[in-house]
Amino acid sequence: MIYVCRKEHFNAAHKLWNPKWTDEKNVEVFGPCANVNWHGHNFELIVMVKGTPDPETGFVVDLKKLSTIIRNLVIEKVDHKNLNIDVDFMEGKLASCENLVMEFWKILEPAVKEITNQGGLHKLTLYETPRNFVEYYGD
């Protein structure tokens, strides 16, 4: 089994805030991430596709096509945006990395199937900071 990865980058702002809670509880739970004036990150998204190489191309997935779908379907929608108010697929959801990466999966998993018959989406890794990241393998 071969694992092929593509890394993309985006910048976005967000605020961790549960509207059902008081201001005090939000600050207690989320700390500086509950800043009323938002805060931003330089995110890194790593998309991993698993499969076997195509005998004609040697590819599990064409990385140019993979990059294009990641940029068109995800990066363009989140780059230099406020995740809480500018991103339609995050509407009504807490803008945590965990929720964000699950939404990315919903978008990318069917799109990856369309560009390779040799493999499929295996894992997404989303770095919020160099030391804080989440990994998601789908449902």
Side-chain angles (χ1 to χ4, degrees):
M1 193 59 56
I2 303 293
Y3 299 85
V4 179
C5 300
R6 175 69 188 184
K7 184 192 297 187
E8 297 288 347
H9 175 86
F10 65 96
N11 301 300
H14 72 148
K15 172 174 61 174
L16 296 179
W17 190 267
N18 186 330
K20 297 175 186 171
W21 294 350
T22 64
D23 293 355
E24 294 77 21
K25 182 165 183 176
N26 274 289
V27 170
E28 176 187 331
V29 172
F30 299 124
C33 295
N35 184 343
V36 296
N37 293 314
W38 319 96
H39 68 283
H41 297 283
N42 299 313
F43 290 91
E44 297 285 343
L45 174 64
I46 301 170
V47 176
M48 182 182 290
V49 176
K50 171 177 85 170
T52 57
D54 182 294
E56 293 184 19
T57 65
F59 296 162
V60 171
V61 63
D62 182 327
L63 284 170
K64 288 181 207 166
K65 290 180 181 178
L66 183 60
S67 177
T68 298
I69 66 167
I70 297 166
R71 283 186 282 111
N72 290 346
L73 299 178
V74 172
I75 303 301
E76 287 182 6
K77 295 179 189 256
V78 296
D79 190 35
H80 287 85
K81 302 286 196 274
N82 183 314
L83 300 174
N84 297 77
I85 58 177
D86 296 329
V87 179
D88 61 350
F89 57 81
M90 291 301 293
E91 187 176 329
K93 297 174 183 74
L94 189 68
S96 67
C97 282
E98 293 88 339
N99 287 335
L100 188 58
V101 79
M102 289 191 304
E103 293 303 313
F104 288 171
W105 184 279
K106 290 176 191 173
I107 294 165
L108 291 172
E109 196 265 338
V112 169
K113 282 183 182 176
E114 291 183 18
I115 63 168
T116 180
N117 55 12
Q118 298 301 122
L121 188 57
H122 177 68
K123 177 175 80 166
L124 297 179
T125 304
L126 181 62
Y127 280 85
E128 184 179 59
T129 73
R131 293 184 298 272
N132 296 336
F133 63 96
V134 296
E135 294 181 321
Y136 187 59
Y137 293 86
D139 293 328

